[in-house]
Amino acid sequence: MKGLHYMLAIITAAMMLCTCQATSSLHPLILIPGNGGNQLEARLTSDYKPSSLLCNRWYPIVKDREGWFRLWFDSSVLLAPFTKCFADRMMLYYDPELDDFYNAPGVETRVPHFGSTQSLLYLDPSLKRITGYMAPLVESLEQIGYVSGENLFGAPYDFRYGLAAEGHPSRVGSKFLQDLNDLIEKASNSNNGKPVILISHSLGGLFVLHLLNRNPLSWRKKFIKHFVALSAPWGGTVDEMLTFASGNTLGVPLVDPLIVREEQRSSESNLWLLPNAKIFGRKKPLVITPKATYSAHDIPEFLNGIGFSEGVYPYITRIFPLLEQLAAPEVPVTCIIGSGVKTPETLFYGEHGFDEQPDVTYGDGDGTVNMISLLALESLWADEKNQTLKVIKINDVSHTSVLKNDIALEEILGEISDINCLAKRKVT
């Protein structure tokens, strides 16, 4: 049952929009998910070399006629023998000669339903109760007048890949930006030229900000009405250092974090989410071991220290320059964030090293992203005269519950209603 707070918000938002709709229709809206926030499919070619007989014959259990199967999210990952198969197929590899990231040999991947919200609703439609993602948000938007495929769209992507600094190829990430660019223009053109509202979650916010800043201001002014970023990790997270050091189950039960650690380290987007010294500072200790202490300024040394030296070069050359690129896009931005949820702030490792989970001290944040990262744009854009920035902070709302918590949905709907109504008032 939806809470009374939430139902009143739906009614209020609908009433606000009804009073505005006499003059024109809603601004088209595109949802951009976060890391792990959409479905991912794969199939195997003759180049695939299974790590075990089990992986070759018994996993995956279900394939379509062309050999495609669900890679993410697949519930069989909960079974230890299959966890290793899953990790092998999710792996990325950096090719220093081509200066880019690639799938494991013999593994083809695709992102289903680009342009639609379909793959954003549930990570596995057969397990709606436990893999729900943007379904509550989409349902809420539909209740105030949005219609999927007409003025409501989704932009799923292969979240393992990131972007790269200028001068470096980023085949998958750059294609996603181009596809998103095209979707924005298509959504606007099919809705009488109305500029688009973008709503991102988590990592999706970083992609959107780079898309905006890689387009000329004239394009932004024409096609973008407003950018609403939910739980965006502008400056990275300490939790990401835990992922690289010891593996991270992300709350999935029964999974051994060490089995998925190598796969998580291989993810280009995970490198992008490591703490940014511009936000966290150069001296604050984030990881403390008996032999070394690492701050956000020491990420290359940290990667070497945990035994992932192969990540140092792509981090320094491709990722590090991106961390400086958080320029104001000169279109209205609203950040909606959770707070008051204990969030890893410092990791302490003992004599047994990184194969054991650390002791953790916690600070404020949304449980995943530290508050200093969530609020980074406030300080970075403080002197920007042509940039409007609104921050809505919601207490006791976590990184993912911002997509389904009644109070959070109320805030999101209120913001979308305001954006639409204010625009229409200008028309009249």
Side-chain angles (χ1 to χ4, degrees):
M1 289 288 291
K2 297 293 184 185
L4 179 60
H5 236 344
Y6 171 68
M7 294 305 296
L8 288 174
I10 289 285
I11 295 170
T12 301
M15 290 176 64
M16 288 176 63
L17 288 171
C18 283
T19 61
C20 296
Q21 283 177 347
T23 55
S24 57
S25 59
L26 297 168
H27 281 265
L29 190 153
I30 298 175
L31 297 170
I32 302 95
N35 198 347
N38 58 260
Q39 299 166 35
L40 187 62
E41 296 177 347
R43 71 177 173 186
L44 309 177
T45 73
S46 58
D47 293 329
Y48 174 66
K49 306 299 181 187
S51 58
S52 70
L53 186 62
L54 180 72
C55 294
N56 192 36
R57 291 193 174 184
W58 298 105
Y59 181 81
I61 298 172
V62 178
K63 299 180 185 178
D64 70 11
R65 291 181 178 179
E66 296 179 342
W68 292 99
F69 59 91
R70 184 179 305 284
L71 181 60
W72 178 263
F73 172 76
D74 177 13
S75 59
S76 63
V77 71
L78 303 178
L79 304 174
F82 293 142
T83 304
K84 184 65 168 64
C85 304
F86 159 81
D88 288 346
R89 294 168 186 183
M90 284 284 285
M91 284 280 291
L92 295 186
Y93 292 87
Y94 175 69
D95 187 322
E97 293 185 3
L98 298 175
D99 187 26
D100 207 350
F101 285 81
Y102 294 86
N103 285 347
V107 179
E108 296 180 353
T109 52
R110 69 181 184 186
V111 179
H113 311 303
F114 182 83
S116 166
T117 61
Q118 186 174 340
S119 72
L120 310 182
L121 304 177
Y122 310 96
L123 302 185
D124 184 345
S126 66
L127 297 169
K128 293 181 178 180
R129 181 179 293 272
I130 64 173
T131 69
Y133 183 57
M134 283 190 171
L137 176 56
V138 170
E139 177 187 335
S140 300
L141 291 168
E142 290 174 341
Q143 288 178 353
I144 63 171
Y146 277 96
V147 178
S148 293
E150 294 184 11
N151 58 4
L152 178 60
F153 307 92
Y157 56 98
D158 191 331
F159 45 80
R160 300 170 302 159
Y161 290 88
L163 296 174
E166 186 177 357
H168 296 270
S170 181
R171 179 179 46 89
V172 176
S174 295
K175 184 180 185 304
F176 168 65
L177 286 195
Q178 185 59 57
D179 290 343
L180 178 54
N181 192 101
D182 295 344
L183 179 61
I184 290 169
E185 294 182 5
K186 180 180 178 181
S188 175
N189 293 334
S190 64
N191 283 270
N192 300 315
K194 282 189 161 296
V196 174
I197 300 170
L198 301 174
I199 300 184
S200 68
H201 179 238
S202 191
L203 173 66
L206 298 182
F207 275 103
V208 170
L209 185 57
H210 278 269
L211 170 71
L212 296 178
N213 285 325
R214 293 182 185 194
N215 270 298
L217 182 59
S218 58
W219 184 93
R220 289 174 253 161
K221 295 296 186 182
K222 179 179 180 180
F223 288 108
I224 305 300
K225 178 61 188 173
H226 207 106
F227 172 26
V228 179
L230 312 177
S231 308
W234 304 116
T237 77
V238 175
D239 191 60
E240 201 63 53
M241 297 183 83
L242 170 63
T243 298
F244 273 86
S246 305
N248 195 331
T249 65
L250 305 175
V252 178
L254 307 178
V255 174
D256 181 350
L258 295 182
I259 294 179
V260 296
R261 179 174 63 180
E262 185 179 3
E263 175 266 317
Q264 290 173 336
R265 288 176 175 180
S266 77
S267 167
E268 182 182 21
S269 59
N270 280 346
L271 280 174
W272 196 8
L273 293 172
L274 286 165
N276 183 345
K278 192 172 184 178
I279 308 303
F280 282 84
R282 298 169 62 90
K283 296 182 179 180
K284 178 179 172 56
L286 303 180
V287 175
I288 299 174
T289 77
K291 296 181 179 180
T293 296
Y294 305 102
S295 71
H297 179 64
D298 305 317
I299 296 301
E301 291 80 5
F302 167 74
L303 294 174
N304 271 319
I306 63 174
F308 186 54
S309 59
E310 58 267 41
V312 174
Y313 180 76
Y315 175 81
I316 292 175
T317 60
R318 298 168 55 88
I319 305 299
F320 183 75
L322 289 179
L323 306 184
E324 299 294 316
Q325 298 172 15
L326 293 170
E330 298 187 25
V331 298
V333 176
T334 299
C335 295
I336 301 179
I337 63 174
S339 66
V341 182
K342 68 176 189 177
T343 305
E345 195 163 275
T346 311
L347 313 178
F348 297 87
Y349 285 93
E351 296 294 340
H352 296 290
F354 299 109
D355 287 347
E356 292 191 357
Q357 294 294 303
D359 292 326
V360 181
T361 59
Y362 295 91
D364 194 10
D366 65 10
T368 299
V369 185
N370 309 87
M371 186 55 62
I372 196 171
S373 181
L374 292 166
L375 296 177
L377 299 188
E378 282 191 325
S379 57
L380 291 175
W381 296 352
D383 299 325
E384 295 289 342
K385 297 180 179 179
N386 297 322
Q387 180 62 54
T388 60
L389 174 65
K390 179 180 180 181
V391 176
I392 299 173
K393 189 186 298 186
I394 311 170
N395 196 42
D396 296 327
V397 169
S398 72
H399 189 69
T400 54
S401 67
V402 73
L403 298 170
K404 53 191 172 185
N405 175 273
D406 289 350
I407 296 175
L409 289 174
E410 177 184 355
E411 293 285 1
I412 296 168
L413 293 181
E415 190 67 9
I416 298 306
S417 300
D418 284 348
I419 293 166
N420 277 289
C421 283
L422 288 173
K424 290 160 189 172
R425 287 170 189 156
K426 290 179 182 178
V427 172
T428 59

